[in-house]
Amino acid sequence: MKLIKNYQLKNLKISLIVLVLAISTIGILVVGSAKPSYQGKQIMGVILGVIAMLIVALIDYNWLLNFSWIMYAINVGLLVLVKLIGKEVNGAQRWIDLKVISVQPSDLTKIFMIIFFAKFLMDHEEDLNEPKNIIKAILLILPSLVLIVVQPNLSNTICVAALFCTLMFIGGLSYKFIRNVLLIAVPLVVIFLMIAVQPNQKLLKPYQQKRILSWLEPDKYADQEAYQQINSLMAIGSGQATGKGLNNKGTASVKNGNFISEPQTDFIFAIIGEELGFVGCCITIILLLLIVIQCIIIGTKAQNLAGQIICGGIAALIGIQTFINISVATRIFPNTGIPLPFVSYGLTSLVTFFIGIGLVLNVGLQPKKY
C-alpha cells in the first residue's frame, strides 16, 4: 500500500476548501478585532493549517490506518505527559509548553481517536454488536476520557465522549442498543444534575458546580460565574441586524469594556454577534453547517467503512464543538470552554481541524467505484 497514490484532480473537493478558507477568514477578522495582538498568530495558524491540510490530503488514509495503534499510544502518552509536565493555567493543567508554542493534546485526541476507531470499527464491521466488542471499544476510549477529565477539562471530555458515540453509531451499532443506553443515560444525567447542585457534593469541583448553578440561577450569580454569559447575550443582542462593525472603539462593547475574559476563544461568537450582527452570526453558522454537510456527502461516497467513519467523525466533531460553543455563548449550556471550529484563537485547535479536513479531502480523492 502506497503512502501517496495517483489521484485525479477532478475528485478534489474544491468547494470544501473554499468553505474552510471562508470561515477561517472570518476567524482572522474577529480574533483581530477581539485581541489585535493575536491576529498575527491566528494568520500563522491558518497558514500552518492549510499546509497541514494539503499534506494530509495527499496521504492515503488507508495507509494511515496501519498506524492506528501507534497513534493510540502517542495520544495516551501525550495525555499522560500533560499530567506530568503540563503547564497550569487558571487552575487547569491542559497544555505542554514547547517554548515557542503551547500544545493542547486533548485537541489532538479527537483526530487520533477518529483514525483509531475508523480502523477498529472497520475490523469489526460484521460483529460490532457483540457485547465483547462493545465493551472493548468502551475500554479503549476510557483512558483518554479519564486523562482529559482530570486535567480538569470537562468540556473536551464531553466532546470526546459524544464523538465516540457518533463513531460507534456510524460503525453500525444497533438501534436497539442505542435505545437501551438512552433509557439508562437520560435518567442518570438528571440524577447527576440533581446531586451536582447540592451542597458538599463530591462529583464536581467547586468552580464546576458554580457554573451549573449560575446557568440555572443567572440572577443570583450575575456578578460572578454568570457574568460572562449574561454579557455575551447582551453583546449578541446589541449587534442587531448588521452589527457595530469590526474593530469598533465603543467603550460599551464586550471587548473594549473587558466584560468578557478571553473573548478571542470561548466567547468569540459574542464578538461576531456584536460586531457583525445577526447577518454575521447566520453566515458563520451556515458556513460551518455547509462544511459539515460536505464532509457527510464525501463520506457517503467513500470506498470503505473507514472512509465513512473518518468523514462522519470530522463532520460530527465540527458540529459538536460548534453546537457547544454557540450554546455557551447564548446561555443554552452552562459556561464551559471549548473553541468555535476555524474561528476561535488557538493554534492546536485550528491546525487540528485543518488536519481533519485534509483527511476528508483524501477520502474524497478516492471515491467508491461503481
Side-chain angles (χ1 to χ4, degrees):
M1 189 177 294
K2 292 182 179 179
L3 170 63
I4 299 176
K5 291 186 174 181
N6 295 320
Y7 306 113
Q8 293 185 337
L9 189 59
K10 67 177 183 178
N11 292 322
L12 181 63
K13 307 302 178 182
I14 301 296
S15 57
L16 178 57
I17 297 174
V18 170
L19 289 170
V20 169
L21 292 177
I23 192 66
S24 299
T25 301
I26 291 176
I28 290 171
L29 293 174
V30 293
V31 166
S33 183
K35 289 276 182 149
S37 60
Y38 285 21
Q39 190 172 47
K41 294 179 181 178
Q42 186 76 356
I43 292 171
M44 181 183 73
V46 170
I47 293 172
L48 289 174
V50 170
I51 293 171
M53 176 183 71
L54 295 176
I55 291 173
V56 173
L58 295 175
I59 299 174
D60 181 9
Y61 73 91
N62 291 295
W63 180 82
L64 281 176
L65 295 178
N66 296 319
F67 304 95
S68 61
W69 277 103
I70 294 175
M71 293 183 188
Y72 183 90
I74 291 172
N75 168 59
V76 174
L78 286 173
L79 291 175
V80 170
L81 204 59
V82 169
K83 198 62 184 171
L84 296 176
I85 64 168
K87 180 175 70 173
E88 187 172 322
V89 179
N90 297 326
Q93 196 171 348
R94 304 173 185 174
W95 294 268
I96 296 176
D97 189 1
L98 301 178
K99 302 302 180 184
V100 179
I101 58 170
S102 293
V103 176
Q104 188 169 356
S106 58
D107 283 328
L108 298 173
T109 294
K110 300 160 191 173
I111 294 297
F112 285 140
M113 288 300 95
I114 288 172
I115 296 174
F116 176 81
F117 280 104
K119 173 64 173 173
F120 176 87
L121 293 170
M122 186 171 69
D123 289 344
H124 293 282
E125 187 172 358
E126 301 299 327
D127 58 0
L128 176 62
N129 288 292
E130 291 183 11
K132 65 176 183 179
N133 291 324
I134 295 174
I135 293 171
K136 188 187 297 183
I138 294 171
L139 291 175
L140 286 168
I141 195 64
L142 271 180
S144 295
L145 294 176
V146 171
L147 288 167
I148 294 172
V149 79
V150 298
Q151 293 179 355
N153 193 343
L154 186 59
S155 56
N156 263 327
T157 304
I158 294 170
C159 183
V160 172
L163 177 61
F164 169 72
C165 293
T166 306
L167 295 176
M168 292 292 285
F169 173 73
I170 299 171
L173 196 62
S174 72
Y175 288 96
K176 183 178 179 180
F177 181 84
I178 295 170
R179 181 200 65 196
N180 293 338
V181 169
L182 288 174
L183 288 173
I184 298 170
V186 172
L188 283 177
V189 170
V190 174
I191 294 170
F192 171 80
L193 288 173
M194 291 174 64
I195 296 173
V197 297
Q198 299 301 315
N200 303 316
Q201 56 79 37
K202 304 297 182 184
L203 295 176
L204 297 175
K205 293 183 180 295
Y207 80 91
Q208 293 172 329
Q209 184 190 40
K210 283 186 177 181
R211 285 183 175 182
I212 294 176
L213 288 171
S214 67
W215 172 58
L216 295 172
E217 303 176 275
D219 294 337
K220 186 177 178 180
Y221 294 85
D223 295 328
Q224 301 174 48
E225 277 70 18
Y227 182 75
Q228 292 196 93
Q229 285 188 295
I230 291 172
N231 287 330
S232 174
L233 270 177
M234 291 174 62
I236 294 169
S238 70
Q240 299 185 39
T242 56
K244 300 174 181 177
L246 288 168
N247 304 303
N248 74 81
K249 303 301 179 183
T251 55
S253 71
V254 292
K255 69 174 194 292
N256 298 326
N258 292 320
F259 297 119
I260 292 177
S261 62
E262 307 298 331
Q264 76 280 4
T265 53
D266 304 337
F267 283 91
I268 195 71
F269 194 73
I271 304 298
I272 295 171
E274 183 178 58
E275 303 198 341
L276 300 178
F278 178 74
V279 173
C281 289
C282 287
I283 291 172
T284 301
I285 293 171
I286 289 169
L287 284 172
L288 288 166
L289 177 61
L290 289 174
I291 290 171
V292 169
I293 292 171
Q294 281 277 298
C295 291
I296 293 172
I297 291 173
I298 293 171
T300 60
K301 300 175 182 177
Q303 61 179 244
N304 54 28
L305 180 61
Q308 294 173 20
I309 291 170
I310 287 172
C311 291
I314 299 300
L317 176 59
I318 295 170
I320 290 166
Q321 287 210 194
T322 297
F323 181 69
I324 293 176
N325 180 278
I326 295 176
S327 293
V328 168
T330 54
R331 221 178 67 75
I332 296 172
F333 282 178
N335 189 359
T336 179
I338 203 163
L340 186 62
F342 302 106
V343 180
S344 294
Y345 172 77
L347 187 62
T348 311
S349 174
L350 194 57
V351 173
T352 296
F353 278 111
F354 272 104
I355 289 173
I357 294 299
L359 289 169
V360 174
L361 289 172
N362 184 262
V363 175
L365 284 169
Q366 306 179 68
K368 186 188 301 181
K369 294 179 181 178
Y370 295 96

